[in-house]
Amino acid sequence: MQRRRFGRTGLEVPALTFGGGWVGGLLIRGSEQQREAVLNRALDAGIDWVDTAALYGNGVSETVIGGWLRAVPKDKRPRISTKFNIDTSAGDFAGQIERSVAASLQRLGLPSVPLLILHSRVVEAANKERDKRSLTVQEVLGPGGIADIMDKLRAQGLCDWIGLTGLGDTGPLHQVIDSGRFDAVQIYYNLLNPTAMASA
């Protein structure tokens, strides 16, 4: 399996990692036998990074991965990344993130993850299509914003690195990426949905 340097983490990851989300969807909709078989197949193929999120099946993906990890010898376990979303209509961003991360770690059966990822879109403040899952640059980078909250979680040892998904409006995404506050950006690109390649 070829390997690649992952963002600013200094980590090397397989050229292919395993996504536990809706695309493909085996961890959410598959049978117990299918879930176990596909995760074991990925591990046997040299994939040692599994990505999931609280949103994937409302915790189902994390729960499945956590149950599977308990049966994998510790020296063979893959690294896990997970994500959280913000509901801007609910306020208390720090509380939302802390509760989401705590629930994710409980489902995964892990004390921490190597990479914690902001799963919300980053958009223009004036974007009329903004929904309650979309954040502005100020909400992400401003004092007490998402980046500061994630740094505190890292200081607590709940993650080693922080990242964001590259979804939203181009200009605001560039501002957040260029800030240097995040170690990795997850571009929505996979074997079943390779549309991001069109803009590469």
Side-chain angles (χ1 to χ4, degrees), residues 181-195:
R181 295 296 303 273
F182 292 88
D183 303 302
V185 180
Q186 187 178 57
I187 305 301
Y188 195 84
Y189 176 82
N190 54 61
L191 293 176
L192 297 181
N193 186 354
T195 51

Side-chain angles (χ1 to χ4, degrees), residues 12-182:
E12 286 200 349
V13 301
L16 293 175
T17 58
F18 188 94
W22 293 104
V23 178
L26 277 176
L27 297 193
I28 298 168
R29 299 184 296 273
S31 68
E32 183 176 349
Q33 293 79 11
Q34 288 173 322
R35 294 165 172 173
E36 183 177 343
V38 73
L39 286 165
N40 286 336
R41 178 79 178 268
L43 196 62
D44 291 343
I47 293 176
D48 67 0
W49 194 291
V50 176
D51 179 69
T52 185
L55 186 67
Y56 296 162
N58 292 321
V60 170
S61 176
E62 291 177 328
T63 300
V64 168
I65 291 166
W68 172 72
L69 284 174
R70 286 192 284 275
V72 177
K74 287 189 177 181
D75 63 331
K76 294 185 178 179
R77 287 183 181 176
R79 293 166 291 185
I80 308 294
S81 54
T82 194
K83 313 180 196 70
F84 64 88
N85 286 95
I86 292 292
D87 180 350
T88 55
S89 69
D92 185 18
F93 290 178
Q96 286 189 58
I97 295 170
E98 289 164 5
R99 289 188 293 272
S100 180
V101 171
S104 289
L105 293 176
Q106 183 176 23
R107 287 188 289 265
L108 290 165
L110 297 172
S112 65
V113 289
L115 179 66
L116 180 64
I117 302 169
L118 168 64
H119 206 188
S120 298
R121 303 170 75 88
V122 182
V123 301
E124 297 281 1
N127 187 333
K128 294 179 181 179
E129 297 180 1
R130 181 182 179 190
D131 58 27
K132 64 182 183 179
R133 282 188 53 204
S134 298
L135 297 164
T136 66
V137 173
Q138 180 64 22
E139 288 169 330
V140 177
L141 299 179
I146 306 302
D148 284 350
I149 296 166
M150 294 177 76
D151 278 340
K152 288 179 182 177
L153 295 181
R154 173 165 34 191
Q156 294 170 23
L158 299 180
C159 63
D160 299 319
W161 309 96
I162 63 173
L164 72 150
T165 50
L167 295 173
D169 295 333
T170 303
L173 279 170
H174 277 278
Q175 285 182 259
V176 172
I177 293 166
D178 291 344
S179 74
R181 295 296 303 273
F182 292 88

